[in-house]
Amino acid sequence: MANVVVVGAQWGDEGKGKIVDWLSERADVIARFQGGHNAGHTLVVDGTVYKLHALPSGVVRGGKLSVIGNGVVLDPWHLMREIETIRAQGVQISPETLMIAENTPLILPIHGELDRAREEAASTGTKIGTTGRGIGPAYEDKVGRRSVRVADLADDATLEARVDRALQHHNPLRRGLGIAPVDRDRLLADLRQIAPQVLEYAAPVWKVMNEKRRAGKRILFEGAQGALLDIDFGTYPFVTSSNVIAGQAATGVGIGPGAIDFVLGIVKAYTTRVGEGPFPTELEDADGQRLGERGHEFGTTTGRKRRCGWFDAVLVRQTCATSGVNGIALTKLDVLDGFETLRICTGYALDGEVLDYLPTAAEQQARCVPVYEEMPGWSETTEGARSWADLPANAIKYVRRVEELIQCPVAMLSTSPEREDTILVTDPFAD
Ligand code: IMP
């Protein structure tokens, strides 16, 4: 297979960082195609921990091209700080190893301010629990045709015109929320100052990607967040503002959908969620506490405690379908070690019926009661297992049952944050 898309199959935080790093060693190009610095990918390479938010994970590996595609929204000030941090860890980053699509919309300080002001003003039940990074408002400006895009930084008259267009929209909004009008001169000065640093990396990414494809290079499309946060197929309105599902990989860099050979869904062996919104299998008891503690479930970007619950096979089956997942990477199985009994959600009871999917209406979602099947747990440790023979029989049964219920095979099994602690069934890049 030439090209692989990695997508989170739950609400994000499935452990994509390690898997993407594992795959990026085999890839020539690593491309981000949606989201922004709301993402948090942790990579452990030779004992060094790298925390990436906006940069594609390929940057930490030499000799690869990392790409930020037009489907991303980019905070240029954040990006430059992140580049400095990663450079200080000894990583080389140059225009030969990092390219940013010229048609990428920018996240400006006004987007973060609006995001946070709205969240503060929202009442319980309407708060989204965003990361506060301005992601939603930046995407709103994109579809509203008033973004400042990377290419606009190259010409001062265009930049001024774009900023004025955005402010025409933002100042009345800010007035309504009680925020002072935007300091236009300061915003322009800040943009002029950062412009040359960003433009150094700017490129017609769609063209480069198509050339790489023709040259037979292996492309890894690195998804952020998770399919249940997708703007169309997630638990709307408690979602992020981009398409997260695999189809976005093509539009998010400007390559045809035929370029995608394998979709790898990253799936945690239980379920977590940060922020507000429905979560049918959430556990607010000692079991939930235990999953959170054993799994170190705190957000990489905001440090918030993640909500934890049992594995929801209904939702993962659904996201495998909407992303056309060919195989999953199952992560964090070891967090389930020592539970006497495990539960898997196989359907939802609603109005006297059992549904095999999550209904779209929020009102119905709130009333869905999970239907569980129970499985015996295992007392042995699975941490660090590198072959099926290292796994207890009940752990194998759990994995097999997950495969059956989600109707998708396991391609990889990850048993610790270390890259070697992986059981490989199908190499997504293999021919
Ligand atoms: P936003 O993307 O900052 O607008 O936040 C919208 C929702 O997506 C909130 O529930 C966030 O907690 C969630 N979210 C955004 N990015 C991530 C991520 O990378 N991992 C997990 N949840 C995320």
Side-chain angles (χ1 to χ4, degrees):
M1 302 288 176
N3 307 321
V4 175
V5 180
V6 166
V7 286
Q10 292 151 315
W11 277 290
D13 312 312
E14 298 91 352
K16 289 184 286 295
K18 167 183 159 173
I19 307 291
V20 165
D21 175 53
W22 194 92
L23 290 167
S24 61
E25 203 182 27
R26 306 156 119 80
D28 302 298
V29 181
I30 296 94
R32 280 279 310 264
F33 56 88
Q34 50 71 230
H37 63 311
N38 48 350
H41 291 176
T42 305
L43 315 182
V44 185
V45 181
D46 300 330
T48 307
V49 180
Y50 301 94
K51 288 195 186 292
L52 302 176
H53 297 280
L55 287 167
S57 298
V59 290
V60 305
R61 304 229 157 246
K64 313 282 176 190
L65 174 63
S66 290
V67 167
I68 295 179
N70 55 280
V72 166
V73 281
L74 181 72
D75 178 330
W77 297 277
H78 171 89
L79 180 76
M80 292 308 153
R81 285 195 301 274
E82 193 170 314
I83 288 178
E84 279 323 302
T85 307
I86 296 298
R87 273 197 182 131
Q89 290 188 279
V91 173
Q92 310 267 326
I93 300 179
S94 72
E96 278 69 54
T97 60
L98 176 67
M99 280 183 192
I100 304 172
E102 292 164 332
N103 48 346
T104 304
L106 298 184
I107 302 179
L108 305 177
I110 55 176
H111 295 127
E113 286 159 19
L114 187 57
D115 191 359
R116 293 186 293 272
R118 281 174 174 163
E119 284 284 278
E120 268 164 37
S123 52
T124 318
T126 61
K127 253 189 222 315
I128 307 287
T130 71
T131 59
R133 300 274 168 114
I135 307 296
Y139 276 116
E140 285 169 37
D141 279 357
K142 172 179 174 169
V143 294
R145 294 164 291 195
R146 52 177 176 267
S147 284
V148 179
R149 306 199 303 177
V150 166
D152 301 328
L153 296 170
D155 176 69
D156 205 56
T158 309
L159 183 61
E160 275 198 36
R162 292 278 188 270
V163 164
D164 285 338
R165 172 79 189 87
L167 297 197
Q168 254 175 25
H169 176 80
H170 277 265
N171 277 332
L173 271 182
R174 292 167 72 94
R175 206 174 310 127
L177 283 160
I179 323 175
V182 181
D183 182 341
R184 176 183 182 272
D185 293 343
R186 164 111 193 258
L187 176 58
L188 274 169
D190 288 346
L191 281 165
R192 286 178 185 126
Q193 191 253 330
I194 202 86
Q197 298 170 56
V198 178
L199 289 169
E200 207 189 338
Y201 300 99
V205 154
W206 65 271
K207 189 167 179 292
V208 176
M209 294 296 283
N210 280 279
E211 283 161 7
K212 295 284 180 194
R213 187 186 172 199
R214 271 199 301 278
K217 301 292 180 196
R218 286 174 161 185
I219 304 170
L220 177 65
F221 297 89
E222 178 182 2
Q225 289 87 47
L228 294 168
L229 290 169
D230 183 272
I231 185 77
D232 288 301
F233 292 100
T235 45
Y236 191 90
F238 302 99
V239 292
T240 192
S241 296
S242 64
N243 278 116
V244 173
I245 59 173
Q248 172 64 19
T251 12
V253 299
I255 204 164
I260 299 168
D261 300 301
F262 193 98
V263 178
L264 183 71
I266 316 297
V267 177
K268 205 185 280 194
Y270 49 101
T271 313
T272 62
R273 168 162 210 174
V274 216
E276 306 300 320
F279 181 172
T281 62
E282 181 170 15
L283 291 167
E284 288 174 280
D285 58 8
D287 284 339
Q289 180 106 6
R290 180 164 163 189
L291 289 172
E293 279 164 16
R294 294 192 51 131
H296 310 291
E297 298 295 354
F298 293 92
T300 319
T301 300
T302 56
R304 287 179 292 175
K305 201 165 175 238
R306 296 177 187 144
R307 300 155 66 192
C308 297
W310 296 120
F311 186 75
D312 190 330
V314 182
L315 289 179
V316 175
R317 184 167 60 233
Q318 205 162 311
T319 60
C320 282
T322 53
S323 274
V325 171
N326 300 98
I328 64 160
L330 191 65
T331 64
K332 293 185 125 177
L333 186 66
D334 56 293
V335 174
L336 300 181
D337 293 353
F339 275 92
E340 203 168 306
T341 306
L342 298 167
R343 301 179 103 191
I344 299 181
C345 172
T346 57
Y348 303 121
L350 181 72
D351 298 332
E353 270 184 73
V354 175
L355 303 181
D356 64 356
Y357 70 101
L358 187 69
T360 305
E363 173 276 325
Q364 292 188 337
Q365 288 181 356
R367 288 189 297 114
C368 277
V369 178
V371 175
Y372 286 112
E373 76 177 33
E374 294 198 340
M375 295 198 69
W378 53 90
S379 54
E380 306 90 327
T381 176
T382 60
E383 193 180 345
R386 294 184 183 183
S387 76
W388 291 99
D390 295 338
L391 294 178
N394 281 351
I396 297 177
K397 278 190 196 145
Y398 183 82
V399 175
R400 294 296 177 223
R401 188 64 186 135
V402 165
E403 285 181 313
E404 254 168 38
L405 288 167
I406 66 170
Q407 296 166 357
C408 190
V410 166
M412 298 167 84
L413 197 70
S414 160
T415 56
S416 97
E418 293 298 327
R419 63 199 321 268
E420 289 74 22
D421 295 339
T422 304
I423 301 173
L424 182 65
V425 182
T426 308
D427 181 348
F429 273 125
D431 293 321

